[in-house]
């Protein structure tokens, strides 16, 4: 069960003002431990990896070779993406309960596999077809949940506080390496931390500073539903068998975050109710039998 601390208003205010905030202790110790154990269903442990990096040469392919797309093989990972306190923070930050969970990635990095250094950039470049608004309307809330400690040696994300980067034009999307090194703040924090930042904030991935280190995180990004120009993935794309396990485990509200048809939606009829029940063994279809279009998805 979730016993975490609700993301404080002050954290969200810092995201509004400074563009980012790092909150240690977002996950409770049990949630964190269960998620860490589930990582090894997808990735080699550090001991396995460093015993024979060549056997794990897939991680040398690119910085992003260690990114696994949603859903995962365990509820202990999947539940983090639909964590009630994260959803609550996104609702308060974006000022709406009409949310669209538009990106989830589980990312493993191993020192020496590749160079994880990146130029400074803003995530809107790959999360939106247009550009951020200067009045900060239509924001996207992007997050990292740390599943391992991120020390100065672990390539902490470098972020340029909003006020120091606001003068930098939105185009070009990438800034010359080193140009704002003095302004960069490293996002150092313990496992279980939540890093929230905006998609109009200059930041970059960085390389490990010492050998034998590894870093694991889950990235979960939200925008207001109906932001048709924003997004990153089409949920039905991958792994129907993992969706078949995940969907029945979710609440109606959690399914709603992915755009699943709401109770009362015109999509539902006797045929779709029956066939969706067959596709997702164990799902409780009762709420979708409700004809009330004002059903509260939460
Ligand atoms: O991994 C990180 O620390 C940051 C990655 C990043 O900014 C990106 O891939 O856009």
């Amino acid at each position: 069960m979730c016993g975490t601390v609700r993301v404080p208003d002050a954290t969200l205010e810092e995201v509004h003002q400074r563009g980012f905030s790092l909150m240690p202790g977002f996950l409770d110790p049990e949630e964190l431990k269960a998620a860490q154990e589930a990582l090894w269903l997808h990735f080699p442990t550090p001991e396995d990896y460093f015993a024979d990096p060549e056997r794990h040469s897939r991680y040398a392919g690119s910085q992003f070779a260690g990114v696994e797309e949603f859903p995962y093989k365990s509820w202990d990972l999947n539940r983090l993406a639909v964590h009630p306190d994260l959803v609550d923070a996104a609702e308060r930050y974006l000022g709406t309960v009409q949310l669209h969970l538009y990106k989830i990635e589980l990312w493993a990095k191993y020192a020496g596999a590749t160079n994880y250094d990146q130029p400074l950039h803003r995530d809107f470049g790959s999360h939106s077809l247009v550009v951020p608004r200067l009045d900060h309307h239509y924001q996207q809330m992007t997050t990292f949940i740390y599943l391992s400690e991120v020390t100065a040696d672990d390539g902490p994300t470098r972020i340029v506080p909003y006020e120091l980067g606001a003068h930098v034009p939105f185009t070009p999307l990438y800034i010359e390496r080193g140009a704002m090194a003095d302004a960069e703040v490293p996002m150092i924090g313990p496992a279980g931390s939540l890093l929230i930042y905006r998609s109009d904030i200059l930041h970059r991935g960085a390389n490990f500073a010492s050998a034998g280190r590894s870093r694991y995180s889950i990235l979960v990004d939200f925008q207001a539903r109906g932001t048709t120009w924003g997004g990153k993935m089409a949920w039905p794309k991958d792994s129907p068998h993992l969706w078949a396990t995940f969907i029945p485990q979710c609440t109606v509200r959690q399914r709603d975050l992915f755009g699943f048809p709401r109770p009362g939606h015109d999509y539902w009829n006797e045929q779709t109710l029956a066939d969706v029940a067959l596709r997702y063994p164990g799902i409780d279809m009762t709420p979708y039998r409700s004809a009330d279009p004002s059903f509260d998805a939460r």
Side-chain angles (χ1 to χ4, degrees):
M1 239 350 256
C2 306
T4 48
V5 178
R6 190 172 189 241
V7 176
D9 286 338
T11 299
L12 300 180
E13 190 51 32
E14 190 176 21
V15 182
H16 275 301
Q17 297 299 327
R18 206 176 175 213
F20 66 95
S21 187
L22 182 69
M23 175 190 167
F26 172 69
L27 295 183
D28 74 32
E30 280 175 29
E31 284 172 325
L32 175 60
K33 186 161 177 284
Q36 287 172 326
E37 280 166 10
L39 284 173
W40 318 133
L41 299 172
H42 293 272
F43 304 118
T45 62
E47 293 72 24
D48 282 348
Y49 178 84
F50 291 109
D52 188 359
E54 277 182 21
R55 197 160 63 85
H56 303 287
S57 57
R58 60 165 282 219
Y59 297 102
S62 92
Q63 297 188 347
F64 304 104
V67 173
E68 296 275 335
E69 292 189 6
F70 193 80
Y72 307 111
K73 294 178 184 170
S74 168
W75 176 246
D76 291 327
L77 289 169
N78 291 336
R79 68 175 171 173
L80 303 185
V82 292
H83 194 297
D85 289 330
L86 187 62
V87 174
D88 168 69
E91 287 177 354
R92 285 183 288 133
Y93 183 75
L94 295 171
T96 179
V97 297
Q98 305 298 329
L99 291 182
H100 172 193
L101 202 181
Y102 74 86
K103 189 196 88 179
I104 307 169
E105 292 172 343
L106 187 66
W107 199 351
K109 297 183 178 184
Y110 297 93
T114 185
N115 185 350
Y116 294 97
D117 195 48
Q118 296 179 336
L120 280 175
H121 60 278
R122 298 171 169 112
D123 277 350
F124 81 83
S126 57
H127 296 216
S128 169
L129 292 174
V130 288
V131 298
R133 269 178 58 144
L134 291 176
D135 62 9
H136 301 167
H137 290 177
Y138 298 102
Q139 284 197 19
Q140 294 168 315
M141 188 184 104
T142 60
T143 74
F144 275 63
I145 300 174
Y146 291 10
L147 299 178
S148 57
E149 184 180 16
V150 180
T151 69
D153 281 350
D154 299 315
T157 313
R158 304 322 202 248
I159 297 190
V160 175
Y162 179 71
E163 64 278 12
L164 300 180
H167 68 283
V168 178
F170 289 139
T171 305
L173 295 175
Y174 296 96
I175 309 302
E176 187 191 338
R177 284 176 199 266
M180 302 189 74
D182 291 349
E184 294 176 359
V185 183
M187 296 296 108
I188 290 169
S193 296
L194 171 67
L195 168 63
I196 307 179
Y197 64 101
R198 307 192 318 229
S199 65
D200 63 347
I201 287 302
L202 285 167
H203 69 286
R204 66 182 181 90
N207 205 12
F208 290 92
S210 59
R213 311 286 308 178
S214 53
R215 194 186 125 178
Y216 306 89
S217 37
I218 184 165
L219 289 59
V220 187
D221 300 350
F222 295 89
Q223 60 187 9
R225 186 185 281 251
T227 311
T228 51
W229 52 89
K232 192 138 187 212
M233 21 198 62
W235 292 122
K237 185 173 86 107
D238 283 327
S239 312
H241 63 292
L242 294 177
W243 283 102
T245 310
F246 173 68
I247 286 288
Q249 292 175 306
C250 289
T251 63
V252 170
R253 170 54 171 159
Q254 288 170 329
R255 286 180 208 124
D256 183 66
L257 298 167
F258 296 91
F260 203 85
R262 292 175 166 171
H265 194 285
D266 187 50
Y267 166 79
W268 296 115
N269 61 24
E270 284 308 317
Q271 176 258 316
T272 56
L273 286 163
D275 283 339
V276 168
L278 286 177
R279 179 169 178 179
Y280 295 112
I283 191 173
D284 176 8
M285 295 303 292
T286 316
Y288 302 101
R289 293 196 167 276
S290 159
D292 178 4
S294 65
F295 182 92
D296 184 349
R298 290 172 296 149

